[in-house]
Amino acid sequence: MQEFKIAIVGAENVGKSSIMNALFGKHVSMVSEVAGTTKMPIKKYWGKFKIGRVKEEPEFAKLIFVDLGGLYAKSDSQSPIMTPKILEKTFKEINEADMILHIIDGTVGLLRSSEKLHHILKFRYQKPIIVVINKCDLLNAEEKEQLREYVERRLNNSPIFVSAKTLEGIPDLINAIVKYLKR
Ligand SMILES: Nc1nc2c(ncn2[C@@H]2O[C@H](COP(=O)(O)OP(=O)(O)OP(=O)(O)O)[C@@H](O)[C@H]2O)c(=O)[nH]1
Ligand SMILES: [Mg+2]
């Protein structure tokens, strides 16, 4: 059976593991307020989904998510750095992924480092990317709109707003993934 791997990437502490847990509806990856919590990739099988368009011959694929450690700090503050071995494993997962969820902390906004990562993933790896702005429970409508416009302008990508805390937007994210994979 075909497999689709989706890597969850972004800066430290943006809520990657929280989104992983929200997608699974249970605790699969450790969450904490300390930056650098996730170290080794956490790979989990999510389930099967239908990809075939022919009703009489349903075709299925396996969906796998990989939660990764933060690739850069969300500010200039010091942060724990991944060991070379973990960094290598992290990039192996990104390399093998069919799609990337690039998570951005809505309370921090789009950093230069996020922009750089986005362009590397897009042009160097040629991966499809869904930009996910997390912690939207902490944003008001105006802040969301400003961030949407900014991300659209800088990354040429329409972000999906979610809150791993309240689960707002998580169904939209799942729909966006499935819609993309069915193409
Ligand atoms: N208010 C709010 N807090 C959130 C949300 N998602 C995550 N957090 C908090 O943000 C902090 C970091 O969450 P994690 O899920 O551990 O973040 P991460 O990106 O996996 O972090 P690292 O593995 O350390 O890179 C924790 O204190 C979470 O409770 C959200 O949607 N809303
Ligand atoms: Mg984590």
Side-chain angles (χ1 to χ4, degrees):
M1 191 184 296
Q2 229 183 315
E3 272 187 11
F4 281 106
K5 256 174 57 178
I6 303 182
I8 304 179
V9 306
E12 290 174 341
N13 216 245
V14 295
K16 300 177 296 298
S17 302
S18 302
I19 288 176
M20 177 88 165
N21 291 338
L23 288 167
F24 280 79
K26 60 181 180 185
H27 186 272
V28 292
S29 189
M30 203 161 89
V31 167
S32 104
E33 68 282 4
V34 181
T37 298
T38 308
K39 302 234 167 8
M40 288 298 252
I42 310 279
K43 200 188 293 188
K44 296 277 173 200
Y45 169 54
W46 190 75
K48 277 186 277 190
F49 71 99
K50 204 156 97 205
I51 49 169
R53 294 208 175 271
V54 186
K55 239 186 180 170
E56 298 73 36
E57 294 170 52
E59 232 187 294
F60 293 92
K62 284 182 172 176
L63 194 50
I64 292 160
F65 285 93
V66 196
D67 178 27
L68 299 170
L71 285 174
Y72 47 93
K74 70 176 177 184
S75 69
D76 290 335
S77 63
Q78 285 290 318
S79 71
I81 294 167
M82 284 185 195
T83 64
K85 194 178 154 213
I86 292 175
L87 196 60
E88 193 189 317
K89 285 197 187 293
T90 300
F91 273 97
K92 184 169 179 280
E93 294 300 340
I94 293 176
N95 204 18
E96 288 174 1
D98 299 290
M99 180 191 250
I100 306 280
L101 302 186
H102 183 185
I103 317 297
I104 288 163
D105 184 334
T107 66
V108 174
L110 184 68
L111 300 167
R112 283 263 165 217
S113 37
S114 317
E115 282 190 42
K116 278 187 196 152
L117 176 68
H118 187 89
H119 289 114
I120 289 170
L121 295 170
K122 190 171 163 188
F123 297 115
R124 196 172 168 145
Y125 287 94
Q126 309 258 307
K127 306 269 187 201
I129 311 170
I130 296 180
V131 178
V132 181
I133 298 176
N134 189 33
K135 309 196 186 181
C136 75
D137 55 290
L138 300 174
L139 303 178
N140 63 36
E142 199 187 328
E143 287 167 330
K144 276 197 222 174
E145 215 26 62
Q146 278 179 358
L147 195 50
R148 180 193 301 283
E149 274 175 27
Y150 187 67
V151 167
E152 280 177 352
R153 186 151 36 89
R154 301 293 305 190
L155 305 184
N156 197 20
N157 191 310
S158 285
I160 294 179
F161 285 85
V162 304
S163 164
K165 190 176 172 187
T166 65
L167 303 184
E168 181 187 340
I170 296 295
D172 300 336
L173 175 58
I174 294 174
N175 284 341
I177 293 168
V178 171
K179 196 171 149 197
Y180 190 90
L181 296 177
K182 278 189 172 180
R183 266 185 216 167

